[in-house]
């Protein structure tokens, strides 16, 4: 799968030129004309890197970076690079204090831009792989130390199997027994879900009503063993009630593997007790 880059630029010709250059070099590009458009995109989509102009209407590059870091935790580790014609010391200090990863000066040197993107993306991949590897080692070591050989049984509830196949693959690598359940069969598969050690549920209207029923009935069914996979459309009141009632945990889109592995570790510890 090609790496996805969000390019934010208010000058349409420059935006189109950058997108063409990146696409010619194998990247998938999402275009936004200002910071407000970028925020709306980032609420619902996952990107591997954000490339943004600084001086823009509505929401400029500084405010965009601030909002991403403060309000969109799913993009905490997403590299953020500024495109800027401004190069004063004060501008760089402000950008660095907000957590920008790099600068590309205008007019754009595309060789430099491509080299910078390649380096940043490679570094981010390495960090993710290292974190995942460490968690896997902890998981296997804990199972061995505790003599726990029975695999976790896990159900995944979603509208489409394709949507959760990466999660299923990661869980299978850990030796878990994974069962996919279509959300349309949720009501008739309650017994199967109850019998599993963990249940990952991708938020949707059907899942919303299912979980609301659990909360309203104060049921103990799957209490503490449900993992709600949230996106930008997830009802905030439901999320609050979900955690307050102790029914389970929440993982935000784009569902980082590290968070999934942590959840599996906790479930393994609980089962071993």
């Amino acid at each position: 799968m090609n790496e996805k880059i969000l390019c934010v630029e208010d000058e349409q010709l420059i935006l189109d030129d950058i997108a063409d250059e990146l696409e010619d070099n194998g990247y998938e590009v999402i275009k936004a004309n200002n910071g407000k458009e970028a925020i709306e995109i980032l609420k619902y989509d996952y990107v591997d890197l954000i490339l943004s102009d600084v001086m823009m209407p509505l929401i400029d590059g500084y405010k965009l970076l601030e909002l991403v870091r403060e309000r969109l935790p799913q993009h905490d580790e997403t590299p953020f690079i500024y495109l800027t014609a401004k190069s004063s010391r004060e501008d760089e200090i402000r950008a660095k204090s907000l957590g920008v990863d790099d600068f590309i000066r205008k007019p754009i040197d595309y060789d430099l831009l491509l080299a910078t993107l390649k380096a940043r993306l490679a570094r981010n991949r390495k960090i993710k792989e290292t974190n995942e590897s460490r968690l896997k080692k902890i998981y296997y070591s804990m199972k061995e130390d505790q003599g726990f050989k029975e695999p976790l049984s896990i159900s995944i509830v979603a509208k489409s199997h394709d949507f959760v196949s990466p999660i299923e693959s990661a869980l299978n690598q850990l030796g878990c027994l994974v069962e996919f359940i279509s959300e349309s069969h949720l009501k008739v598969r309650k017994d199967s879900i109850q019998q599993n050690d963990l249940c990952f549920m991708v938020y949707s209207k059907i899942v919303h009503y299912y979980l609301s029923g659990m909360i309203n009935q104060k049921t103990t069914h799957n209490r503490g063993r449900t993992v709600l996979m949230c996106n930008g459309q997830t009802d905030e009141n439901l999320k609050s009630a979900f955690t307050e009632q102790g029914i389970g945990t929440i993982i935000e889109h784009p569902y980082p593997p590290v968070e999934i592995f942590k959840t599996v570790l906790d479930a393994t510890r609980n089962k071993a007790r």
Side-chain angles (χ1 to χ4, degrees):
M1 183 181 294
N2 293 340
E3 286 168 305
K4 188 185 297 184
I5 296 175
L6 172 62
C7 187
V8 192
E9 168 63 63
D10 64 318
E11 294 189 37
Q12 191 63 47
L13 289 177
I14 296 177
L15 179 60
D16 291 340
D17 284 346
I18 296 171
D20 289 344
E21 188 72 29
L22 296 183
E23 287 170 350
D24 286 345
N25 283 272
Y27 296 107
E28 181 181 348
V29 180
I30 301 177
K31 296 189 285 187
N33 291 110
N34 54 62
K36 185 176 181 180
E37 286 185 15
I39 289 293
E40 291 305 309
I41 290 168
L42 292 170
K43 285 180 182 178
Y44 308 110
D45 210 340
Y46 171 78
V47 298
D48 296 290
L49 185 143
I50 301 168
L51 183 64
S52 175
D53 188 20
V54 174
M55 305 304 293
M56 296 182 293
L58 301 180
I59 295 177
D60 65 13
Y62 295 125
K63 189 63 177 179
L64 173 60
L65 176 54
E66 183 179 344
L67 290 173
V68 168
R69 297 303 189 224
E70 288 183 356
R71 301 186 185 179
L72 299 173
Q74 65 269 38
H75 299 291
D76 274 348
E77 298 179 0
T78 304
F80 199 111
I81 297 176
Y82 275 143
L83 295 169
T84 179
K86 300 181 70 176
S87 58
S88 72
R89 182 171 178 271
E90 290 73 19
D91 292 326
E92 292 199 14
I93 290 174
R94 182 181 180 188
K96 290 291 186 183
S97 68
L98 291 171
V100 76
D101 293 283
D102 220 325
F103 292 86
I104 298 293
R105 309 292 179 192
K106 291 182 177 179
I108 299 170
D109 180 333
Y110 282 105
D111 289 335
L112 177 60
L113 172 62
L114 292 169
T116 302
L117 296 182
K118 182 177 180 180
R120 286 293 172 184
L121 289 167
R123 181 175 180 273
N124 216 46
R125 281 196 304 271
K126 184 65 175 177
I127 291 172
K128 290 179 180 178
E129 290 169 0
T130 299
N131 289 339
E132 292 172 21
S133 177
R134 287 173 179 169
L135 283 170
K136 285 181 180 179
K137 288 179 180 178
I138 293 171
Y139 174 77
Y140 292 130
S141 175
M142 184 184 70
K143 287 182 67 176
E144 184 176 342
D145 290 345
Q146 296 180 350
F148 184 68
K149 297 182 180 180
E150 184 181 349
L152 285 181
S153 59
I154 298 175
S155 53
I156 303 179
V157 178
K159 182 177 182 179
S160 167
H161 183 259
D162 291 341
F163 187 72
V164 294
S165 59
I167 299 172
E168 183 177 24
S169 176
L171 294 173
N172 282 327
Q173 288 178 29
L174 293 177
C176 302
L177 298 176
V178 186
E179 174 188 24
F180 172 76
I181 298 175
S182 171
E183 64 176 29
S184 61
H185 298 154
L186 185 56
K187 190 173 292 186
V188 297
R189 297 294 302 278
K190 282 185 179 180
D191 290 343
S192 176
I193 292 173
Q194 289 180 32
Q195 292 168 5
N196 287 325
D197 299 305
L198 270 179
C199 177
F200 289 86
M201 308 185 79
V202 178
Y203 182 79
S204 67
K205 184 179 290 186
I206 293 175
V207 168
H208 175 98
Y209 287 122
Y210 178 85
L211 294 176
S212 295
M214 290 175 61
I215 293 168
N216 293 334
Q217 296 169 19
K218 302 188 185 307
T219 178
T220 58
H221 152 56
N222 237 34
R223 183 168 294 276
R225 295 185 289 132
T226 302
V227 183
L228 180 60
M229 314 292 279
C230 295
N231 55 40
Q233 297 175 315
T234 306
D235 183 88
E236 292 297 328
N237 291 327
L238 175 69
K239 287 164 65 173
S240 297
F242 186 73
T243 53
E244 288 170 5
Q245 294 292 328
I247 293 173
T249 57
I250 291 175
I251 297 180
E252 300 281 354
H253 188 271
Y255 319 136
V258 167
E259 295 302 320
I260 293 171
F261 292 149
K262 285 179 180 177
T263 304
V264 172
L265 274 173
D266 289 340
T268 303
R269 290 192 185 101
N270 292 334
K271 186 169 182 176
R273 287 171 184 168

